[in-house]
Amino acid sequence: MKRTKYIVASLILFFVLLILYVMFFPFLKGNSTAYVYVYPDSGSKDVRAQLDTIARGPQKYGVSLLMAVAQYDKHVKPGRYALSSGESALRFFRNLYRGHQTPVELTIPPVRTLEDLSGFVSHKLMMDSLSLYHALKDSAIMSEYGVDTANAYCLFVPNTYEVYWNVSVKEFLKRMKKESDNFWTSDRLEKARRIPMTPHQVYTLASIVDEETANNSEKPKIAGMYINRLKADMPLQADPTIKFAWKKFGLKRIYQNLLGIRSPYNTYKNTGLPPGPIRVASVKGIDAVLNYEHHDYMYMCAKEDFSGTHNFARTYGEHLRNAAKYTKALNDRQIK
């Protein structure tokens, strides 16, 4: 009898220690971090399947036990949950059960099209790319956020934000509107007023400047040249707007036959700014416009050394000489 009691007690102790080990010892080895993604239609089986690939054997059974006891399938909390190396099954389950998910660090990219932007965001979040794209192209929805469809880009300032993986399109746009409003500080608004431009106009010009060069130190100079043209009521004649109008972003040369396109974005035909940005503008580009360089240049042409910078000119004659040098360099390299 005593031997039987001893065996039973030993087994009970063993299972208690096993449960304690499973519940409180870390999931992962090393200093790694893994993530579990729970969709609205996910259940405990889906979660366990993910844990099978990332967790140490005994601990994943601890979560399975907790799920069964707490009837997890009846209390699904969609989201993205971090699983750190020092985390126990009990702590991870608490986060999972209560919906204490880990935010995604989302960096808005300076992409050229709303399709690309929607695709990038949907790759990082649970959001459907078409749902976001259609919202950005819906005038009624955009009006709720203080923009029209041509200025939808203006909602996005390419910084890094913490957002929840399962955020809805509506909540995501609301967050981007809030971040955009925060970006336009009183100092930036005052600088825009002095140009004078609205924030949307600054953003639009910044998107053109960004397309002209990746050289941040030259951007204020380019912005100054375009502002000189705007003040003189001259067409901007910005090649990037022609690429945008044609939706041909890979063009290496802008030939005369491309300049006749009927589009409000054709800045060779139309004076003033186009109706909206031609890409997501960078912070450097926006600040380059707000802090534009004051000079009397009216023309610019890419340098013949293909450095990504430009030759600037005050007169049309000087500009033609710069353009001839660049054209010769293109021809020499047989760039079509």
Side-chain angles (χ1 to χ4, degrees), residues 194-205:
R194 289 177 185 174
I195 295 176
M197 284 185 177
T198 66
H200 288 177
Q201 289 172 328
V202 170
Y203 195 106
T204 297
L205 183 54

Side-chain angles (χ1 to χ4, degrees), residues 39-144:
Y39 290 86
D41 58 351
S42 291
S44 57
K45 289 183 179 179
D46 300 305
V47 175
R48 285 197 297 268
Q50 292 182 63
L51 291 175
D52 282 343
T53 65
I54 58 179
R56 290 199 289 190
Q59 281 81 352
K60 63 191 175 189
Y61 297 116
V63 172
S64 297
L65 177 62
L66 287 167
M67 286 180 177
V69 171
Q71 295 184 304
Y72 173 77
D73 283 335
K74 295 182 179 180
H75 305 279
V76 173
K77 298 292 192 303
R80 170 183 179 266
Y81 300 90
L83 178 58
S84 63
S85 58
E87 193 168 9
S88 67
L90 184 60
R91 181 179 174 184
F92 175 68
F93 175 76
R94 283 175 178 171
N95 290 337
L96 196 65
Y97 189 78
R98 295 172 181 174
H100 294 169
Q101 58 177 301
T102 308
V104 175
E105 286 196 352
L106 178 68
T107 301
I108 300 297
V111 292
R112 289 189 174 108
T113 68
L114 294 177
E115 293 94 332
D116 288 342
L117 177 63
S118 300
F120 176 87
V121 171
S122 69
H123 183 69
K124 297 292 183 180
L125 306 177
M126 192 181 73
M127 192 178 301
D128 175 63
S129 62
L130 283 178
S131 297
L132 176 57
Y133 177 73
H134 289 154
L136 294 172
K137 301 297 287 185
D138 188 311
S139 57
I141 293 176
M142 287 297 95
S143 66
E144 296 177 20

Side-chain angles (χ1 to χ4, degrees), residues 29 36 68 80 93 104 152 160 182 191 217 219 233 257 265 271 274 292 301 331:
K29 294 180 180 180
V36 171
R80 170 183 179 266
F93 175 76
V104 175
T160 299
N182 290 340
K191 287 178 178 178
S217 63
K219 287 180 180 181
D233 201 29
N257 66 314
Y265 291 89
T271 57
Y292 71 93
C301 180
N331 292 335

